[in-house]
Amino acid sequence: MENKPKLKLAVYWGAACGGCCVSVLDVHEALFDVIAAADLVFWPIALDFKYKDVEAMPDKHIDITLFNGAVRNSENENMARLLRQKSNILIAYGSCAHMGGIPGLANMYDKASLFRRVYIESESTVNENGTLPQPRYEVPEGVLTIPEFYNDVRTLDQVVPVDYYLPGCPPQTERLVEVFMAVVKGEALPPPGSVVGAREKTLCEECDRKKSDNKVIKKIYRPWEIYDDGETCFLEQGVICLGPATRGGCGARCIKGNSPCRGCYGPPSESIDPGAKMMSALATMIDAKEPEEVEKILEDLADPSGTFYRCSIPASLLRRKMIT
Amino acid sequence: MEEVKIGVYVCWCGTNIAKMVDVEEVAKEIGKYPNVVIARDYKYMCSDPGQELIINDIKKLGLNRVVVSACSPRIHELTFRKALEKAGLNPYLFEMANIREQDSWVHTDRVEATRKAKDLVRAALHKVLFHEPLSERTVEINPATLVIGGGIAGMSAALEIAGAGKKVYLVEKMESLGGMMARLDLTFPGLESARDNLQLTVARVMKDPNIEVYTNTVIRDIFGYVGNFECIISPNFKEDISLQFGNVVVATGLKTFDPSVIPEYKYGQLPDIYTSHEFEGMLTSGRIVRKDGRPPENVAIIHCVGSRNRNYHEYCSRVCCMTALKYANQLRSALPEANIFEIYADMRAMGKGCEELYSLSSRRKIMFLMFDQQGPLPVIRKAGSRDKCDYLITLQEKLSGQDIEVPADMVILMVGTEAREDAKEVAHQVGISMCGNAFFIEKHPKLDPVATTTNGVYIVGSCQGPKDIPDSISQARAAAARILGTIAQGSVTVEVTTANVNEELCCGCQTCIKVCPYTAISFKEEEKVSFVNEILCKGCGTCGSACPTGAITCRHFTDRQLINQIEGLMRMDVEPELKEV
Amino acid sequence: MEFQPKIIAFLCNWCSYTGADLAGTSRIKYAPNIRVIRVMCSGRVDPTFVLKSFTEGADGVLICGCHPGDCHYHEGNYKCLRRYHLLVKYIEQMGIRPERLRLEWVSASEGKIFAEIVNEMVQTVKALGPSEVKTVVETLT
């Protein structure tokens, strides 16, 4: 291994919470293996490199870039394009880059209403002049610029071509290490566009809860509304769990913590929409034949979009709420 | 990998299509698509020369996909599939675009109709790209038959099948055979003895060496599929026996309506108010008397009790009117001086000899009084001490328009019929469906009234709907003929456009299991994946849309095929993708 | 020129598709804006197909199945009913007018009713104007 040149690794965050970067740090002792095999050439959260350092790199200089975070503003987009150009392999790392993630929930609003809420209406804001962020602002000393906030949140692959997706909110660190070590060892890579670090099968396969064919929903419950026995499939207790429609690979972390799956690992390969299959499955389970009964049961499902597309609105077929 | 070569054929259907759709333009436009090797329009695609055209093109041009744009696939899909087969191409590599029933015949603007035709053909083109060859399967038929229910319908079916030398297992829940007919005295309209006819039939059944009779027996479970069913029965509620058979006749009959839910009739509250079936017992015993032993001087017969009334059952129970006339005639003979009142809502005397019975009855001093079924029902009350009768029935007489009181010492309620309480259980056991009134649903109300949508399961007699004896027997014998037909064939073809589980994707959530109305899906505990028994599967595709993982593929209607079809409909400018065969 | 909507209809083979065929054999005229996709049962209609129809530019989606209790496959139409109600709730939340998605029961003998439903839906969708979904999705790509 010593003879091999070290891999050049970059980690970048777009619209993200930072959790993905922490998941990279979570490699713990494996960090030594990673550092033995790779040089970190860019990682704003941890190392002091500047954008100009990246701009100065020759094309395809970086072997692997882990891009986490969604594309929410012009900075995210410019960096996505720059890193695409400079990287051999661009990995959409984590739910936000993969499917829009939690920032993607903002696609239920438009820019104007988001600004109004955040900069004018929010309870802790005093903004008597109604000043809103401007990408460009002239002051006596010169021109100030900040990135332009877009109307929509986009996934990484809606901006630049992506080689692989490593899903999760955040991705399970072990999966990252597996993928990384596979690259280091020169193993054959899956075809571009593949999801790596997640299973083909959905979560139920690795979930320890008891499952039966008794998937009949008479009432939909929020998790806190039931006395969870800790053993029975959430769906069989009337709690919406996205496990059946979400790739495995996370080790059923949420379920082990007695919380149903929220779908951060995204849909399996056959689904062209991240939420539709689970909506269909769940609706099928409803135990009612009359429209009124069905509606009554669905009353307890206040937010279908936030339930079935919590991490994936920008990657869904509809992409966003239609606001015209 | 083989290149996709599609042949597209646009039919004129004489002028049926060509008048409203510019078929030449459709063919010309579709011919521009990259995988379309040939696009023709022709006068009658379904004709022999039309089919020859396709067959020759398949052979000469090496087509491996065919789209015919013509009438409804419900009419000619099979015709063209056969043509493909003749040419040596798998018949499922075919798709039809319906530009007659759903285009040229329903639109009036030629430009719009032509545009629609292009969209529909383009959609078919996009779909057929993803079609896969499918092969038909046949299963062998076990020549034995299970008949559930030992009434007149079940026995008739059993005798017919056994008469052809085939084994029959006849299972009856009660202690003896006969069903509802065993409770009858005389039959209408000829007033013959029901018992004599029934006993004759029972004796034939008991003597037939090909019929194994199990009375006092419940069926615990039925599994399997057409040709290869198996059931577990418990004769006399003791040890379990397993039976194997290829077809099932369901002849579970019906039950009578309980009139105590109708407050106006005070059934169960006043002593001399009888249901028709209780009265039938009185007739059999030969003594028509009140509870206190005196013969009645006034007898009222009330029709449509529980039938033809939105509060109870909306349907007509079919046999009560004629049974009521039968009673009136029997009463007239037994009690020559008594007043007999037929209180009816509508006299339904349909069927051979029935109208004649009605006119005969009207000449025998029987009073016919009509009430409005939509209005308030007649009300029975106890008569006063000065009245010369036990009860008084008040009603709005429809023909005279007057409110009248009818004296009665005995009231016979012509109770309707309804599905048995265990109908749902039976339906579930054999995998058939029930209508809103819990009667079993036939495969086609007109064209296939004895088969069901479950292959190998037939419904006969009044479990399918209220019926008289001759109709029950006709249906039973029709089912027997159908069964004997399949036995003679030795095998049946089963659905090929079935669902199938990709075990690489199935996560074992078991959402699909209960979705299947045919219990075709089971769970393999060891592998932790679902499994479709494709012989039981009817190809509805509901499991495919219920599957959250995409592991279930519905052959010939796959997600990929349908999504591509949607794209084809909407994207005028997109060329279909190439795909390996 | 008047806006001509495109409506995708998913019809079950046994009742609704046959009913639509009957409208044809009875020569009942209706608006040409409908494009039919045949499925064996309304229970096959995956919400994905409906959403895909909208993103491909359909101005309306019509699903037709057998009347309750009359499903050729026993209960597929009930599964469809449940999915429909959830889908309506979802698309409404996503800013798509719920009138753009319609579920109707059409039996094999209801050719006339099918034609009426189509005409009615075309009118409704015409009044709503073109669906914004395709445009919105395209500006995002």
Side-chain angles (χ1 to χ4, degrees), chain A residues 179-299:
Chain A
V179 171
F180 180 77
M181 292 318 284
V183 177
V184 170
K185 286 176 191 157
E187 286 175 18
L189 295 173
S194 300
V195 169
V196 295
R199 290 188 210 285
E200 275 300 305
K201 289 210 182 198
T202 56
L203 192 62
C204 302
E205 196 219 3
E206 58 189 41
C207 166
D208 291 332
R209 290 201 170 217
K210 279 187 222 137
K211 287 168 281 287
S212 74
D213 58 11
N214 188 33
K215 302 263 187 299
V216 178
I217 292 180
K218 290 181 164 40
K219 181 170 164 54
I220 295 168
Y221 295 98
R222 308 292 285 268
W224 50 267
E225 289 177 311
I226 58 159
Y227 290 101
D228 176 24
D229 59 12
E231 288 180 349
T232 311
C233 168
F234 275 113
L235 283 162
E236 286 164 40
Q237 300 185 72
V239 172
I240 299 178
C241 173
L242 266 50
T246 305
R247 280 177 189 267
C250 60
R253 282 182 296 184
C254 297
I255 289 169
K256 281 180 184 151
N258 293 330
S259 181
C261 171
R262 296 306 188 203
C264 74
Y265 263 61
S269 54
E270 295 294 309
S271 307
I272 62 162
D273 180 87
K277 288 267 179 204
M278 192 61 218
M279 264 201 276
S280 192
L282 185 96
T284 306
M285 295 172 201
I286 291 174
D287 188 26
K289 287 185 175 176
E290 295 300 321
E292 302 75 34
E293 291 175 68
V294 177
E295 298 234 326
K296 179 98 188 70
I297 293 173
L298 287 174
E299 271 174 21

Side-chain angles (χ1 to χ4, degrees), chain B residues 72 107 119 545 559 571, chain C residues 21 30 35 44 52 56:
Chain B
S72 169
H107 301 316
D119 286 355
S545 328
D559 281 13
R571 294 188 190 174
Chain C
D21 275 356
Y30 56 83
R35 303 286 185 270
R44 176 69 189 104
K52 178 71 178 170
E56 286 295 322

Side-chain angles (χ1 to χ4, degrees), chain C residues 72-116:
Chain C
H72 182 79
Y73 302 103
H74 306 234
E75 298 201 331
N77 52 357
Y78 290 119
K79 313 287 191 296
C80 180
L81 174 84
R82 298 166 198 169
R83 293 173 192 151
Y84 162 79
H85 282 281
L86 180 49
L87 253 177
V88 165
K89 204 166 173 172
Y90 169 62
I91 63 164
E92 203 173 357
Q93 194 187 7
M94 297 308 281
I96 300 172
R97 289 292 294 266
E99 298 93 320
R100 293 194 189 275
L101 174 60
R102 194 162 162 175
L103 172 68
E104 291 289 344
W105 309 130
V106 175
S107 82
S109 59
E110 293 175 334
K112 190 161 174 279
I113 290 176
F114 176 75
E116 285 165 7

Side-chain angles (χ1 to χ4, degrees), chain B residues 100-287:
Chain B
R100 192 180 73 175
E101 280 83 347
Q102 297 183 11
D103 191 2
S104 72
W105 276 353
V106 288
H107 301 316
T108 47
D109 180 331
R110 198 156 194 262
V111 175
E112 284 297 332
T114 303
R115 183 174 302 157
K116 179 170 175 177
K118 286 181 196 167
D119 286 355
L120 293 173
V121 180
R122 200 180 329 101
L125 203 62
H126 275 68
K127 179 166 187 258
V128 82
L129 271 174
F130 287 89
H131 276 198
E132 282 165 0
L134 302 175
S135 49
E136 297 202 326
R137 279 187 313 271
T138 56
V139 291
E140 280 187 23
I141 297 274
N142 178 330
T145 302
L146 173 74
V147 176
I148 310 173
I152 189 66
M155 287 193 293
S156 303
L159 282 170
E160 204 69 17
I161 297 166
K166 304 296 173 195
K167 183 94 208 162
V168 176
Y169 303 108
L170 178 61
V171 176
E172 167 58 48
K173 206 176 201 173
M174 307 303 285
E175 267 172 54
S176 56
L177 297 175
M180 290 296 260
M181 195 171 163
R183 292 159 66 175
L184 301 185
D185 177 37
L186 302 182
T187 55
F188 69 75
L191 309 185
E192 295 164 41
S193 162
R195 215 180 322 167
D196 290 355
N197 284 331
L198 185 68
Q199 275 170 1
L200 219 65
T201 310
V202 172
R204 280 182 62 203
V205 168
M206 299 308 287
K207 267 198 301 200
D208 197 310
N210 286 319
I211 304 178
E212 254 176 58
V213 178
Y214 294 94
T215 50
N216 214 0
T217 300
V218 289
I219 296 176
R220 301 271 279 253
D221 210 351
I222 301 182
F223 24 82
Y225 44 85
V226 59
N228 299 278
F229 288 107
E230 190 180 343
C231 77
I232 308 288
I233 57 168
S234 309
N236 300 309
F237 304 92
K238 283 183 200 142
E239 81 284 28
D240 288 353
I241 302 181
S242 143
L243 302 173
Q244 278 91 35
F245 43 93
N247 289 284
V248 184
V249 176
V250 180
T252 48
L254 42 62
K255 72 179 183 61
T256 53
F257 176 79
D258 174 9
S260 55
V261 296
I262 305 180
E264 288 88 340
Y265 296 157
K266 308 206 172 50
Y267 176 75
Q269 299 167 33
L270 298 175
D272 285 308
I273 296 176
Y274 302 95
T275 67
S276 38
H277 288 266
E278 289 163 345
F279 184 68
E280 199 82 47
M282 210 182 276
L283 288 170
T284 317
S285 73
R287 288 189 69 221

Side-chain angles (χ1 to χ4, degrees), chain A residues 108 152-154 158 272-273 276-277 279-280 282-291 294-295 298-306 308-309 313 316-322 324, chain C residues 43-55 68 75 78-79 81-96 105 132-134 136-141:
Chain A
M108 296 305 286
D152 312 284
V153 174
R154 284 178 291 172
Q158 286 165 2
I272 62 162
D273 180 87
K277 288 267 179 204
M279 264 201 276
S280 192
L282 185 96
T284 306
M285 295 172 201
I286 291 174
D287 188 26
K289 287 185 175 176
E290 295 300 321
V294 177
E295 298 234 326
L298 287 174
E299 271 174 21
D300 292 318
L301 177 54
D303 178 13
S305 164
F308 299 103
Y309 299 88
I313 292 176
S316 68
L317 280 169
L318 297 181
R319 296 283 195 92
R320 64 152 18 267
K321 180 173 179 173
M322 310 302 144
T324 43
Chain C
R44 176 69 189 104
V45 181
D46 192 310
T48 313
F49 306 156
V50 174
L51 299 174
K52 178 71 178 170
S53 301
F54 280 122
T55 55
E75 298 201 331
Y78 290 119
K79 313 287 191 296
L81 174 84
R82 298 166 198 169
R83 293 173 192 151
Y84 162 79
H85 282 281
L86 180 49
L87 253 177
V88 165
K89 204 166 173 172
Y90 169 62
I91 63 164
E92 203 173 357
Q93 194 187 7
M94 297 308 281
I96 300 172
W105 309 130
E132 55 281 79
V133 180
K134 196 180 178 196
V136 167
V137 170
E138 267 172 2
T139 51
L140 268 164
T141 311

Side-chain angles (χ1 to χ4, degrees), chain A residues 158-181:
Chain A
Q158 286 165 2
V159 177
V160 292
V162 165
D163 297 302
Y164 299 109
Y165 303 85
L166 211 162
C169 182
Q172 185 79 333
T173 307
E174 293 90 309
R175 298 290 93 74
L176 167 63
V177 174
E178 283 163 19
V179 171
F180 180 77
M181 292 318 284

Side-chain angles (χ1 to χ4, degrees), chain A residues 59-78:
Chain A
D59 287 358
K60 308 265 176 192
H61 176 73
I62 306 167
D63 290 296
I64 304 172
T65 293
L66 303 177
F67 190 108
N68 68 78
V71 179
R72 159 42 93 206
N73 60 31
S74 56
E75 182 188 23
N76 304 150
E77 178 170 0
N78 294 340

